[in-house]
């Protein structure tokens, strides 16, 4: 049950990332790098989330998330309100790396992926 919810939330995260990336910007980015931190955090979360589901050959997942971030940036050039930004693509890629590292470091203490660990908790087994 938890794993199904995890998959559904993961695909929702992909769709949400795509939608937010192609709509008019919500942040005023003039003179600030706040949007780069948002990109980094968003892609770190996206990578971490999917790394809980894809546990073998995560490097392929990381490549897919990085490519997704680059493609989304290129798609922004096709919209009337957004422009592709190489620094955003770099922040997306850095976020994917951070998410990959956190997933890797967290797996050992938990004994595996987070959804499987959560499924073993007594409160969630009912």
């Amino acid at each position: 049950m938890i794993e199904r919810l995890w998959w559904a939330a993961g695909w929702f995260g992909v769709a949400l990332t795509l939608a937010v990336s192609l709509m008019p910007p919500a942040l005023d980015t003039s003179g600030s790098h706040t949007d780069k931190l948002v990109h980094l955090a968003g892609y770190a979360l996206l990578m971490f989330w999917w790394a809980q589901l894809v546990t073998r050959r995560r490097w392929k997942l990381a490549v897919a998330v990085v490519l997704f971030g680059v493609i989304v940036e290129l798609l922004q050039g096709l919209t009337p309100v957004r422009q592709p930004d190489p620094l955003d693509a770099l922040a997306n890629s850095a976020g994917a790396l951070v998410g990959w590292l956190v997933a890797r470091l967290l797996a050992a203490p938990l004994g595996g992926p987070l959804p499987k660990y959560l499924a073993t908790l007594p409160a969630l087994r009912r």
Side-chain angles (χ1 to χ4, degrees), residues 5-82:
L5 290 173
W6 205 271
W7 278 97
W11 284 114
F12 178 75
V14 169
L16 183 64
T17 301
L18 183 61
V20 169
S21 297
L22 297 178
M23 62 193 245
L27 296 174
D28 177 21
T29 59
S30 58
S32 168
H33 293 294
T34 304
D35 70 315
K36 304 305 181 257
L37 293 174
V38 170
H39 281 263
L40 187 125
Y43 277 80
L45 178 60
L46 194 64
M47 178 64 198
F48 173 80
W49 196 273
W50 280 97
Q52 303 309 306
L53 297 166
V54 179
T55 57
R56 300 190 118 162
R57 299 186 184 184
R58 280 190 183 142
W59 69 269
K60 289 183 178 182
L61 174 66
V63 169
V65 173
V66 167
L67 286 175
F68 176 69
V70 170
I71 289 168
V72 166
E73 284 302 314
L74 293 174
L75 287 173
Q76 286 181 352
L78 301 175
T79 67
V81 293
R82 301 294 293 256

